[in-house]
Each structure stands twice: as C-alpha cells, then as structure tokens.
C-alpha cells in the first residue's frame, strides 16, 4: 500500500496546484542553485507518484553536489521558505510518508535528511530518529546539524546519536564532516562535548591514515581541519608537514602548516627546508621565511636579501630593504638601475626603482612602456605612476587604448591617482573612437569619476546607452550614486557646467525617468 503524506483526506496537495511549466522549470534547471531545494522538496507533496519519484531523483542530484557547509546552509533556507500550511497537524505526520518503495536508499536518506530541516520540531525529531536507523555514515551530517537545534530535546537526541558514531569504524565519515564538527564547536548552544570526543578519537594513531587521506580532499575546509587536527595530535614530524605544504595549493591551509613548521624550528632544520620555503608562492610565507633567515644568519644574509629586492611582491621587496638597512645598506636605486640596464629580473627591478627612485629615473623606465611582455609594461606604468605620475599622464592616456586589457587597466588605475579632469575631452573622444571594449569600460569608469558637475553629463549619456548593457549599467550605478551623494559634496557648478547639463538633459532627457529629470533640474536650479 502506497503511503500518502497527509492522513487527513484531501483532494489537492500543494504541488498539485503548481503549473506544469513551473514544475518543469524548477526540475530542469541547468545549474544547481541552493535556493531551489526547499521549493523542489515541496514537490514531494503531490498525489502523483511519478512526480514524487522524479523529485526524489532531482533532490538527490542537487544535494550530492553540495559540500557539507553548503548543506548546513539549507537548514536556514528550509526554515525561511518551507510552508507550515501543508498540513494542520505536523505532530502526527511522519517523514516516512514522503517515501516510496521505488526510491533508492540514497534518495530516501536525502529526503529524511531534508525533513530534519523542517520548521516543525515534532517533524524534525521524527526525522532524526529515522536517520539514526541508517549506519552508512551518510546520515552523519544531518545529525551533526541538528546538534545545534534550537529545541533542547532535539539537540540532545542528535548529540546522543552522533556520539554513538564516534568510533574508529566511522573515522572516515568523521573526517569528511570535520568542518561541521569545528563549526559546532563555535556555536552558542553547544557544550563542546561532541567536539572534545572527536578530537580525542582523532588523536589516536589509528586515525592518522584517515586524516592523511582527508588532506587530499577537493574541499579546502576538510584539508584545513585535517591539518589542524594532525598538528594538535602531534602524530607527525616536520618533514611530513613540509610534504603537505608542497602539495597544498590554497593560502589559508598553507599558512597554517607553515606557522607550525617555523614555530620552533632549529637552525639545522631551517637550513634543510629553506630552499623549499623561500620559493613559496604565498608572499606572507616568503616574508616570514626571509625574516627568519635574517634572524638565524644576519652576517650571511646580504645576498639573500638582495635577491629579495627583486621579488614579485612589493611586501617582500620592502622587508628586504628594511633588513638591509640594518646592515647599513641604504641606497637601493643604483642596485635597481644596474639590474634594469643589464635587463635582469626586469619586473622586480622596475617596480623597485619606482618605490625608491626619483623623478629623473622616469626616463630610464619610459622605454619599457613599449615592451612586448605585458607584465613588464604594467610594471613600468606603476613605477612611473609612483615616481612622477602627474607629469606623465599622457603616457597613461595613450595606453588606455592598448590591445592588452591588463595594460589598459593599469593605465586607468594610474590615472585615478592624478588629476585628470583637464583630459575629459580626450577621454570622451577616445571613448567614441576606440575599437576595444575593455578601453570603453575603463574610459566610462574614468569619466564617471570626474568632478561632480562634469561627471553627471557622461553618467547620463552612459545610463541611456541601450546598445551597450555594460556601459549602461556603469551609468545607472553612478547615477544612483551621484543622486545619493549630492548633499555630501558642496562644490558649486560654473555657468558653463550648468549649460552643459541643460544640453545633456535636452539631448537625453526623454530616455530618463521623469523623476530623474526633475531631480537633476532641481539640483541645478539653486545655482542659476
């Protein structure tokens, strides 16, 4: 006999009132969206077994695509979006009535798991009792989420069921859920007993192979908490941590590993690991390595510090100069000039000269604006900007129309650091003439950032540009910003600026909302 969800006799279930088009649109989404899941879950409340089975399959595909922290977000989404009007008596309803014999065990488990997110406490409690009957490990995340339930009875029941599972047999599932255990540790409702039991279990030697496997997870948070647990348990030596560091790609877990490695490192250990550590791609790590090298070998550090003067990170270059000053080496411009002239480590040398040089050094850098290497051109732009940007802005102006987007972006950023209001006509003409979309984008940003009474003309022109949605969007956002900030900037317009705004309204006003036109007219009225 097939169960029906409602025990009360009803002629219409909630999903039966949805249009077929709406159901199809929800079930056939090309990309998984977290916010769709509560709505799709409601499709289980139907008189159609075919729709129930199809819904179960879609829910399964959605949920298995989530990481466990995304899964925990569903708890809030269900409370916000799930209707309590599906039935009048949730206390007497059972999650089992949503299941059908033709559903797979995995589909049933996910439906029960989603039932554990329901706003009604009686219904949630029944769901976790049913989840407890499963011992595959797939039920664990749902039980963990309920350990932070706002109802004490449910919270305590979930904790009891989780603690039953804290055995060596389940360590692989525990490792997969480590982010939830750590999240539970930081909640106000939790007494930390579950977390403490987990730490004690994972600190045993038998758990290490599972933690090691967890360090290979695709999910960064799992790797991070595996490293954290391994470090706390003191089950491995520095060599193993170095191996983890070599393989880890993300900066947050890398920094965790590095801090443990470097914390009480001996001179000999540091010597062994230095060739690896000094090449770390994370600047914060390279900075700490450089400082540690100097603290261990101050007398031998000059060559290493000079090498760091050319690092791709400005932070590292700055630290290297600071440490060299302690060695009474204070004039760095000749070093950078020598490297530029010999065309060695050009990017770092150009940027370094920009950081410590003088205006006259600009002439040495200008030729590199025509370099074929984009990174060299960008470095030259930034160096010139630091040394004498105000007097070299014509170069930035020309480079706005560079075919390489990165170069054009660098030129735009450098122009924003100088006064360019006097270049508005050039910028406007280039906007009309350029063939590059990235140049138009950068020019629109610059023109919308002019002084208050000059910018509004371009903002309106871009806002009504229906042929280019990107430019129109820039105009729209800046129009809203201009209106919102009007009374925060007290500059008065000149008569020429007022006439220019009147001309702009006459030309484009028909494409604006009437209220928008009235707002602008009102703002200029007081200055006429």
């Amino acid at each position: 006999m097939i169960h029906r969800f409602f025990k009360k006799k009803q002629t219409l279930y909630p999903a039966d009132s949805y249009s077929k088009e709406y159901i199809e649109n929800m079930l056939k989404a090309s990309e998984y969206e977290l916010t769709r899941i509560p709505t799709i879950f409601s499709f289980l409340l139907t008189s159609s077994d075919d729709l129930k089975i199809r819904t179960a399959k879609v829910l399964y595909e959605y949920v298995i695509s989530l990481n466990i922290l995304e899964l925990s977000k569903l708890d809030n989404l269900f409370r916000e979006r799930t209707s309590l009007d599906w039935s009048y008596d949730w206390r007497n309803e059972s999650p089992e009535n949503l299941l059908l014999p033709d559903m797979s065990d995995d589909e049933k488990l996910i439906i029960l798991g989603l039932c554990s997110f329901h706003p009604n406490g009686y219904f949630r409690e029944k769901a976790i009792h049913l989840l407890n009957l499963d011992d595959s490990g797939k039920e664990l995340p749902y039980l963990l989420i309920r350990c932070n339930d706002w109802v004490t009875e449910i919270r305590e029941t979930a904790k009891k069921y989780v603690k039953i599972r804290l055995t060596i047999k389940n360590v692989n599932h525990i490792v997969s859920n480590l982010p939830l255990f750590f999240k539970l540790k930081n909640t106000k409702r939790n007494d930390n007993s579950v977390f403490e039991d987990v730490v004690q279990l994972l600190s045993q030697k038998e758990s290490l192979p599972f933690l090691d496997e967890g360090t290979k997870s695709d999910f960064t948070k799992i790797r991070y908490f595996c490293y954290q647990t391994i470090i706390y348990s003191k089950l491995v030596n520095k060599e193993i941590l170095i191996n983890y560091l070599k393989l880890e790609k993300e900066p947050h877990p890398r920094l965790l590993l590095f801090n443990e490695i470097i914390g009480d490192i001996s001179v000999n250990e540091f010597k062994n690991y230095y060739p690896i550590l000094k090449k770390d791609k994370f600047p914060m790590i390279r900075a700490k390595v450089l400082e540690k090298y100097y603290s261990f070998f101050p007398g031998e550090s000059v060559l290493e510090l000079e090498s760091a003067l050319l690092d791709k990170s400005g932070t590292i270059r700055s630290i290297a100069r600071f440490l060299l000053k302690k060695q009474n080496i204070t004039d760095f411009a000749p070093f950078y000039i020598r490297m530029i002239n010999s065309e060695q480590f050009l990017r770092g040398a150009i940027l370094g000269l920009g950081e410590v040089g003088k205006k006259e050094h600009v002439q040495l850098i200008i030729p590199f604006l025509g370099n074929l290497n984009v990174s060299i051109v960008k470095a030259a732009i930034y160096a010139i900007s630091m040394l004498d940007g105000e007097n070299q802005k014509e170069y930035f102006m020309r480079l706005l129309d560079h075919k390489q987007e990165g170069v054009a972006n660098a030129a735009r950023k450098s122009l924003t650091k100088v006064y360019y209001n006097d270049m508005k006509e050039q910028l406007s003409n280039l906007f009309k003439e350029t063939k590059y979309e990235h140049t138009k984008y950068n020019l629109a940003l610059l023109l919308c950032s002019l002084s208050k009474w000059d910018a509004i003309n371009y903002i309106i022109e871009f806002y009504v540009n229906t042929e280019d949605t990107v430019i129109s969007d820039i105009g729209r956002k800046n129009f809203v910003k201009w209106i919102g900030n009007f009374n925060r900037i007290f500059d008065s317009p000149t008569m020429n600026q007022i006439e220019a705004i009147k001309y702009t309204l006459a030309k484009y006003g028909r494409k604006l909302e009437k209220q928008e036109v009235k707002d602008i007219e009102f703002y200029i009225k007081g200055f006429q």
Side-chain angles (χ1 to χ4, degrees):
M1 179 178 175
I2 297 176
H3 292 288
R4 294 298 181 197
F5 185 71
F6 299 120
K7 293 190 176 180
K8 297 185 179 184
K9 199 169 184 181
Q10 295 195 13
T11 56
L12 187 67
Y13 294 90
D16 294 340
S17 64
Y18 301 149
S19 69
K20 287 184 179 179
E21 182 182 10
Y22 175 69
I23 291 173
E24 286 301 313
N25 285 340
M26 293 299 292
L27 294 179
K28 285 189 173 180
S30 58
E31 294 183 4
Y32 295 138
E33 297 175 22
L34 204 63
T35 54
R36 286 177 177 261
I37 296 177
T39 301
I40 294 173
F41 179 81
S42 72
F43 295 170
L44 293 168
L45 308 174
T46 176
S47 59
S48 168
D49 288 350
D50 288 342
L51 179 55
K52 266 191 178 182
I53 290 171
R54 187 180 172 202
T55 298
K57 292 184 183 303
V58 172
L59 285 173
Y60 172 75
E61 293 299 327
Y62 261 75
V63 173
I64 64 167
S65 73
L66 305 176
N67 65 53
I68 52 176
L69 292 183
E70 290 172 331
L71 182 66
S72 69
K73 290 179 184 177
L74 275 180
D75 188 31
N76 289 331
L77 280 176
F78 265 70
R79 288 206 303 278
E80 292 168 2
R81 297 176 180 234
T82 306
S83 171
L84 283 170
D85 297 329
W86 290 347
S87 172
Y88 294 103
D89 190 7
W90 284 100
R91 180 194 294 256
N92 295 315
E93 295 297 347
S94 172
E96 284 184 297
N97 292 334
L98 287 177
L99 310 179
L100 291 175
D102 290 342
M103 295 176 183
S104 70
D105 289 342
D106 285 342
E107 289 166 354
K108 290 176 182 177
L109 181 87
I110 280 176
I111 290 171
L112 291 177
L114 296 178
C115 286
S116 74
F117 298 154
H118 197 278
N120 184 278
Y122 295 107
F123 198 69
R124 289 199 308 282
E125 188 171 20
K126 289 176 183 177
I128 64 171
H129 286 314
L130 292 168
L131 285 166
N132 184 52
L133 299 177
D134 190 285
D135 62 355
S136 65
K138 296 173 184 175
E139 77 288 354
L140 184 56
Y142 301 103
L143 295 174
L144 271 169
I145 292 167
R146 291 276 60 80
C147 285
N148 191 39
D149 199 281
W150 59 97
V151 176
T152 303
E153 291 78 3
I154 298 175
R155 189 164 66 245
E156 293 302 317
T157 300
K159 281 166 59 177
K160 180 179 72 174
Y161 290 155
V162 168
K163 287 189 174 188
I164 291 170
R165 289 163 168 77
L166 299 184
T167 64
I168 288 293
K169 181 184 75 171
N170 292 316
V171 169
N172 59 327
H173 301 302
I174 292 167
V175 167
S176 297
N177 286 280
L178 269 180
L180 284 181
F181 281 105
F182 275 83
K183 184 179 179 181
L184 186 62
K185 170 182 176 283
N186 297 318
T187 58
K188 293 180 180 178
R189 300 188 189 104
N190 179 50
D191 62 6
N192 276 349
S193 61
V194 170
F195 180 77
E196 289 166 2
D197 289 349
V198 166
V199 171
Q200 185 176 359
L201 174 65
L202 296 181
S203 296
Q204 298 175 23
K205 286 184 179 180
E206 295 86 347
S207 299
L208 183 58
F210 299 100
L211 288 167
D212 181 67
E213 190 63 29
T215 65
K216 301 166 188 169
S217 171
D218 291 334
F219 186 31
T220 303
K221 287 287 186 182
I222 290 178
R223 298 197 307 275
Y224 180 85
F225 290 122
C226 281
Y227 297 140
Q228 197 167 15
T229 307
I230 288 170
I231 289 168
Y232 175 82
S233 68
K234 301 191 183 300
L235 291 173
V236 300
N237 56 30
K238 277 187 170 59
E239 188 173 350
I240 291 175
L241 294 179
I242 284 284
N243 289 335
Y244 288 147
L245 186 69
K246 288 179 185 177
L247 296 172
E248 181 54 55
K249 305 294 184 187
E250 297 298 321
H252 193 202
R254 285 181 70 80
L255 189 58
L256 172 73
L257 290 165
F258 172 78
N259 284 337
E260 178 62 20
I261 292 165
I262 209 76
D264 60 350
I265 197 167
S266 68
V267 173
N268 288 334
E269 285 176 324
F270 184 78
K271 266 187 177 179
N272 290 336
Y273 301 141
Y274 179 68
I276 298 168
L277 295 175
K278 74 173 184 177
K279 295 177 183 177
D280 198 281
K281 63 180 181 179
F282 192 25
M284 188 180 293
I285 290 178
R286 294 202 305 281
K288 290 187 175 185
V289 170
L290 194 62
E291 289 171 332
K292 181 65 77 171
Y293 187 92
Y294 179 81
S295 70
F296 278 151
F297 317 108
E300 306 169 21
S301 63
V302 171
L303 288 178
E304 290 296 322
L305 293 173
E306 284 187 346
S307 176
L309 288 174
L310 301 164
D311 194 276
K312 58 186 176 182
S313 165
T315 300
I316 306 298
R317 295 193 298 272
S318 177
I319 290 172
R321 290 193 292 268
F322 172 76
L323 295 175
L324 280 167
K325 284 176 183 178
K326 291 185 176 184
Q327 305 271 29
N328 295 319
I329 298 173
T330 58
D331 190 6
F332 302 105
F335 171 82
Y336 287 124
I337 291 170
R338 187 168 68 252
M339 299 306 291
I340 290 171
N341 287 334
S342 62
E343 297 194 357
Q344 295 182 60
F345 303 99
L346 269 177
R347 182 182 179 277
I350 291 170
L351 288 169
L353 185 59
E355 291 157 354
V356 303
K358 298 177 182 178
K359 283 186 179 182
E360 55 263 32
H361 293 137
V362 165
Q363 296 306 314
L364 181 63
I365 297 173
I366 285 173
F368 293 101
L369 293 174
N371 198 280
L372 296 176
N373 186 319
V374 171
S375 68
I376 300 299
V377 179
K378 289 165 64 178
I381 292 171
Y382 291 133
I384 292 169
S385 175
M386 288 184 277
L387 291 171
D388 191 23
E390 193 66 49
N391 293 313
Q392 309 299 331
K393 56 190 179 185
E394 284 293 341
Y395 287 109
F396 306 149
M397 177 71 210
R398 291 200 290 271
L399 288 167
L400 282 170
D401 205 29
H402 198 282
K403 64 180 180 180
Q404 292 290 342
E405 184 175 355
V407 172
N409 291 346
R412 188 250 306 164
K413 289 175 184 176
S414 292
L415 269 177
T416 61
K417 296 175 183 177
V418 300
Y419 177 81
Y420 65 91
N421 230 66
D422 55 343
M423 305 178 80
K424 59 180 181 289
E425 296 300 329
Q426 286 175 269
L427 295 170
S428 179
N429 290 335
L430 180 57
F431 182 88
K432 296 167 187 171
E433 296 166 2
T434 184
K435 62 182 179 181
Y436 300 123
E437 292 301 317
H438 61 260
T439 297
K440 283 190 175 183
Y441 177 83
N442 281 318
L443 288 164
L445 292 177
L446 288 167
L447 289 165
C448 287
S449 300
L450 289 168
S451 62
K452 176 179 177 177
W453 296 106
D454 286 326
I456 188 59
N457 296 297
Y458 299 105
I459 288 171
I460 292 171
E461 181 181 344
F462 298 148
Y463 184 12
V464 300
N465 184 345
T466 55
E467 296 178 1
D468 191 327
T469 55
V470 174
I471 299 300
S472 179
D473 193 49
I474 292 173
R476 178 185 59 78
K477 288 177 179 176
N478 278 279
F479 188 89
V480 172
K481 183 179 176 182
W482 195 93
I483 297 293
N485 289 338
F486 182 82
N487 288 322
R488 298 177 187 175
I489 302 173
F490 301 106
D491 294 344
S492 297
T494 64
M495 290 308 298
N496 286 340
Q497 287 173 326
I498 290 173
E499 291 304 314
I501 294 170
K502 286 181 178 180
Y503 176 80
T504 298
L505 288 176
K507 187 175 182 180
Y508 301 114
R510 295 187 308 276
K511 297 181 180 180
L512 293 170
E513 298 288 337
K514 288 182 180 179
Q515 186 57 49
E516 292 171 338
V517 174
K518 285 181 180 179
D519 287 341
I520 299 298
E521 289 176 336
F522 174 77
Y523 290 140
I524 63 174
K525 186 177 181 181
F527 297 102
Q528 297 183 71

